[in-house]
Structures are given as structure tokens and as C-alpha cells.
Amino acid sequence: MIAVIQDVQLFLLFLGGILCFLIFLFSSIVKYQSATRKAALLHIEIVTSLLLFADYFAYTYRGNTSQVGFWMVRISNFLLFALVYVELLGLNKYLRTFVYETKKGGFVRLNLINIISYLGLVSIIISQFTGFVYFIDENNLYQRGPFFFVSFIAPFIIYLLILSVVIQFKKIFPRLIFTSLLMFSILPLVCSIVQGFVYGVSLLNLSIGICAIALFILSLVDQNFFLMQIAFREQATGLPNSYGFIRHVEYLIHEGKVSEYNAFYFDIVRMGLINRRFGGNVGSEILVKYAHILRESMLEEEALGRLGGNFFVAMIKKGNTQSFLDRLQKTDVSISLPNEAGPVTVSISAVAGVYEITPEDKDPEQILNNISMAANIAKNIKHKPYIFLSPELQKEINDVKILQDMIPSCMANREFKPFYQPKVDTTNYTLYGAEALARWEHDGKIIPPNEFIPVLEQNETICEFDFYMLDYVCRDLREWIDTGKQSPIISVNFSRKNLGNPILAEEIFNVVKKYNVPANLVQIEITETLDEYPMEYLKGVVIALKRYGLTTAIDDFGTGSASINLIKEVPFDSLKIDKNFISSVEEKDRKILGHIISMANDVGARAITEGVETEEQLSVLNALGCTKIQGFYFDGPLSKQDFEKRLENPVYKNL
């Protein structure tokens, strides 16, 4: 019976060695996990393979007194004792690849594992000369030494330490990896105890072989599971991507729970400014931390996903909707910067679209489309921090979609035309310029810009439209010049979205040159607000336009947060004061308005006030030294034909 057991043991040792070696070869040529983790696993597998082969040869040549047997017994016994500690060093290395990611402790025990392993190795080396752990007798037979207990107490302590670390950090291990590590600590732990009382049976080494094979199989299965999951995850945050989010909604629909939730789609506000301030890498770190802060504040059954960039989605219990909206309005993120003494706090806010899901909603992609459209309306049309998708808003979205589909063909048919609103110099009440304002002549009606410009601004169509208007104005200017009319400077509005065009100034000048229009008759107006692009972009465009002989104006001055810096840094020719500054004529408002006009004069920018409608407003402006006026007090936007009449009679009388 004992002989049969010995034969089975030899077979298992040899088979285990072969399997671990094949696993080592397979793992070395196949990429299925991180390089560090792969190196640790390779370490475990090759050392375990050598350990099992060493044990196999130790039993095979046991008692063989030939010259070969003499050396095989000594070498194999040394290896099987020493490689137990080397294998534990590899297992510790594998553990560290997970625990170091947490940065929350466990390092003392991990370092202690290394120390005990190295001490164990030293004890085995010393034993070769002293025989205090084990020795080989004159019959070439292995015998336990007086301190043999060291060879199972040291691994026992190490496996106990490994077990404590695995249990403490069980949440950071994938489920299958946790199972394999638990097995790798408990089974050898038990076998090391039994090994102290059993002679001639390699329980500890066999258990190590079984665990090494199980670790490989379960890690391979886990990696395959991870690869399946990664298709549904966004890499930086680990949150569900659009596919993962849709799959979660499908699950809620299948469980009949989807109507318990509200769906969110939100976009981080001014993320571009954060990236420019801190740099792209820090900006990405802020986004990841922001996502983790939001997720930690949510219920387990709620979901948060990232679609890429600044765009996120969420499924929130209806009772938690308001608290989640509050977090979207302001969430503080702390980051550490190399040149800062302490952490820097960045406040993140978002614009959101919300959809109240009903039991009738069965299409996850439609839910995603709904919240995406609602967020777009909130950001680009309503300019509100959040919007709930109501039937009325749904109709509005549909109307917007209809407009978006119509606009390209209507532009091709030249249904959009410039109307010209005069600018008047009140020193002599004479026309000195005009602003080209877009109007849409469709089905016999004139559609005002507030009904279609926001639609154009939802995508890059506004950039195409701006050049369309410039082309139209230059064509009119060419006609007036050819017919002998004395045309003033005509200003054309350009959306700030154009600032992303690196050759914007050149393309504008090419349109002017196409119609052989004097460059000094065209002025480009750009809105003060600069959300998308930094001031340097605007400054570069303005300087380039001046080189081409075109003048520039800053529109809606005073409505943005960087007004002073703009007129200080950017050499505009004209500064158009927003009409809100003259809506009230109280003393305080007069002082503010006066300072703006003086400031414009000091930097050489002609101040123009728009939206002037009353005699009282005109008197205040004249008293403050602003003599360039645009508004209904003189004229509203005029059609081309009516403006041509004004060109023939440029002086305003009897007002």
C-alpha cells in the first residue's frame, strides 16, 4: 500500500511539474494581463515547476548510493527546500501588484513576508554545512535535523500573513483571483501543519503545485471575463460606457424596475478652461476623481457611466433626483500639484438633461437619445443648469431637428439675407456704419435670428453660416461700389466657435478679396464670451485681421467675466457696449457706463452703444462722451433696398 502511495505521489509530482512548466511557456508568449502581474505569475509557475521536479528527483534517487544518486539527492533536496521560499517571494510579488494600487496599507506584512522568506533561504544554505534543518546520511537517505520545524513554521507564518492581506483587501481582488489567492494561502497553510507530523509525503509541495495551477486557470478565466467586460467599460474611470449603460438599462427593464429611476445626461462646464489652467493630464485626473466622488455618493443599485470626454450618464432613483442635481451644480475635487504646498480644490459643475422614465419606456437607446437631446437644449438653447424632458420640450426638440434638416437647403437657396442696422455718429447725426443682421425669408415670412441662430450654434453649422453672411455682405458692398453708392463700414458677426480655425483670418480675407472689396469697409464682430477657446486664440485672430486691413469689434462688451483683460490684451478697433448697461439711467449705472466709455477711449477703441431706443438714453450717452449709437431710436434692421435709400440720405434730421 505504501509503495502504491509513493508511486502515485511520484506521478503527481512529475505531472504537476510538467503542467506548471507548460503554463510557464504559455504565459510567456501570451499577453493576457499587465506586464508586472504577468512577471509575478511567470515567477510562481517556473519556480513551482522546478520545486515539483526537485521533489520528484529527491524521491526517485533516495537511497541511491551511486555517484549520480549522491549528487541528485543533495541538489534536489536543497532545491525543494529553497524553492519553497523563492516561490513565496513570487506570490508576494503577485500580491503587491494589487495591494500597491490601493495605497492604504498592508505593506508591513508584505515586507515581513520577504524578510522571513530570505531568512528561510539563509537557514537552508547554512543547513548544507550544519545539518540542523535536514541532512543526508551515509546511506544517501534524507533525514530531518533537530531544527526541522523551521522548514514548516516559517512557511506557516508566511501563509498566515498572506491570508491576512488577502482577506483585508478582498474588495480589490477580482472574485476569481480572490478565490485562487484564498486557496493559495489556506491549503499550504494547513499542509504545512500536517507536514510537521507526517514523514515521506510531500503534502506542502503538492498543495503549492495545485494552487499554482489553480491560480493560472482562474486568472486566465478572470482575464477573459475582464476582456468581455472591457467592451462595456470606459478605461480611465472604469465606469460603464454607452454600451454598458444601455446594458444596465436593459437589465432594469427586464427586472421591471426601470420606472423607479430618472435618467441623466450631463456635460462638465468649462472643462476646457480647467485643462488650460492645469494641463491635460491633471484635467484627466480631475475628471476621474470627480467620477469617483459622484459614484461614492450614489446608491449601490444606481448607475453612473462615462461616454467619453466631459459627457456622463446616470440612472438615479427618483427620490434622489434633487440631491443628485445639487451635486451636479457643485462638486469639489481636491488635487495635489507639484508646485503647490497643499491640495488645490477645483469646483466642478455640469449642465444636465433629465428624463423621467415611465413603465412604458422599453427602449434603452431611446432613453439615451432623450437625455442627450435634453442636455443639449439645456446647454445651447435654454442656458439652464438642467432641464427635464417634458412633452413640450420633446416637441421643441423635434422642431429643432426639423430646422436643422431645413437649414442647409435654405442656405443653398439663399433664403438667409443680411438686414443692415445703421450706426449713427451723433456729433453730426450722420450714418457712419451698419451691422449686418441675419434674417430668414421663408414661406413669405421673415424669421428673426433668435429662432434659428441657437439651432445653428448647436453644431459647426454656425461657422459655415458666418462665412455665408460675410459672402453675402461682400457681394452687396461690391454692388454698391459699382453703382457709385458711398458705403460705410459694414460689420459682420462671427461666432466664437470659429476661433478653433487656425487660418480664420486668412479665410475671411479671401472672401473680401474675392469680391475686390476694400478691406477697411469690413469689420468683424466677435462676442466677448470665450468659453470654448482662451484669450490667446482671439488675440491671434484680431492681430491677423488687422494685418489684412480689416477692423474688429468686441460685441456685447460687459457680459463676460474677462472684460478688462480683453480690452487690455486684444487690440480691438471698436467696443460695443451691451444694451443692458443703458436699460437703467440711475446715477450708479451712469458712473459704470461712463467708466466703460472712458476706458475704451483710453485704449484707443471706439465705444459704440447698441440698443438705444429713447431720447433719455441718447442724452445720457452724449453727456458721457459716447457719440456712436446703434438702436431703434434711429433705425431698426433694414432690408437691402431700405438701407440703400438710407445710403442716399445718410443724415438723420428732425429727430
Side-chain angles (χ1 to χ4, degrees), residues 423-433 627 634 650-652:
K423 299 176 183 178
V424 178
D425 185 344
T426 56
T427 57
N428 53 17
Y429 287 90
T430 301
L431 174 74
Y432 83 93
T627 59
F634 292 105
V651 179
Y652 289 79

Side-chain angles (χ1 to χ4, degrees), residues 386-599:
Y386 61 87
I387 279 182
F388 282 79
L389 186 65
S390 62
E392 294 76 18
L393 183 58
Q394 183 69 60
K395 181 181 181 303
E396 186 173 336
I397 291 172
N398 292 336
D399 292 343
V400 166
K401 184 66 171 63
I402 292 171
L403 282 178
Q404 287 177 331
D405 293 340
M406 289 174 56
I407 284 173
S409 61
C410 292
M411 286 175 62
N413 295 332
R414 302 192 72 79
E415 293 185 13
F416 296 94
K417 295 179 171 61
F419 275 45
Y420 298 94
Q421 184 170 29
K423 299 176 183 178
V424 178
D425 185 344
T426 56
T427 57
N428 53 17
Y429 287 90
T430 301
L431 174 74
Y432 83 93
E435 179 181 3
L437 299 169
R439 295 294 185 269
W440 186 4
E441 295 183 357
H442 183 70
D443 289 342
K445 297 185 297 183
I446 295 180
I447 302 173
N450 63 307
E451 293 188 22
F452 62 86
I453 292 296
V455 177
L456 292 168
E457 289 181 334
Q458 290 185 33
N459 49 45
E460 298 305 315
T461 307
I462 187 64
C463 299
E464 180 184 350
F465 183 80
D466 289 341
F467 277 95
Y468 168 94
M469 288 296 295
L470 176 65
D471 186 275
Y472 217 128
V473 168
C474 288
R475 181 180 297 189
D476 286 349
L477 280 168
R478 183 70 259 163
E479 181 182 328
W480 294 334
I481 292 170
D482 291 343
T483 55
K485 293 182 175 65
Q486 191 70 32
S487 174
I489 296 175
I490 306 296
S491 62
V492 182
N493 290 287
F494 265 71
S495 167
R496 59 186 178 275
K497 289 183 180 293
N498 286 284
L499 295 179
N501 181 355
I503 55 171
L504 176 62
E506 180 182 348
E507 290 187 350
I508 289 174
F509 179 69
N510 286 340
V511 175
V512 176
K513 187 169 64 172
K514 170 185 172 183
Y515 290 97
N516 196 26
V517 171
N520 61 359
L521 289 184
V522 178
Q523 183 174 76
I524 304 301
E525 288 191 18
I526 303 176
T527 307
E528 176 188 350
T529 310
L530 295 171
D531 290 336
E532 283 92 342
Y533 300 99
M535 192 181 301
E536 289 74 14
Y537 282 54
L538 177 60
K539 183 177 180 180
V541 169
V542 169
I543 291 173
L545 287 171
K546 290 175 78 70
R547 290 198 195 103
Y548 286 120
L550 294 132
T551 60
T552 58
I554 178 173
D555 197 11
D556 298 333
F557 180 80
T559 58
S561 59
S563 302
I564 303 300
N565 283 336
L566 272 175
I567 62 171
K568 175 185 175 184
E569 297 291 335
V570 185
F572 287 106
D573 298 286
S574 298
L575 185 154
K576 294 189 70 176
I577 302 171
D578 188 76
K579 61 182 179 182
N580 290 326
F581 282 90
I582 60 166
S583 59
S584 172
V585 290
E586 295 180 1
E587 185 63 28
K588 180 180 178 181
D589 298 308
R590 290 188 184 188
K591 288 182 178 180
I592 294 173
L593 189 58
H595 283 304
I596 292 174
I597 294 168
S598 297
M599 188 166 49

Side-chain angles (χ1 to χ4, degrees), residues 33-104:
Q33 51 190 334
S34 70
T36 307
R37 204 158 291 164
K38 176 180 176 179
L41 188 60
L42 287 172
H43 179 131
I44 293 170
E45 299 300 339
I46 189 61
V47 170
T48 304
S49 175
L50 294 173
L51 172 66
L52 294 175
F53 280 131
D55 210 0
Y56 170 80
F57 286 113
Y59 278 105
T60 300
Y61 286 93
R62 184 172 181 269
N64 187 323
T65 56
S66 67
Q67 188 70 18
V68 173
F70 178 86
W71 288 108
M72 287 298 293
V73 167
R74 281 159 178 76
I75 293 172
S76 59
N77 274 282
F78 170 74
L79 288 176
L80 70 89
F81 275 96
L83 290 176
V84 168
Y85 297 108
V86 178
E87 185 271 342
L88 286 169
L89 290 171
L91 184 57
N92 188 28
K93 183 179 179 182
Y94 188 76
L95 268 179
R96 287 168 180 262
T97 63
F98 290 98
V99 176
Y100 275 5
E101 293 177 358
T102 69
K103 300 180 180 178
K104 293 182 180 178

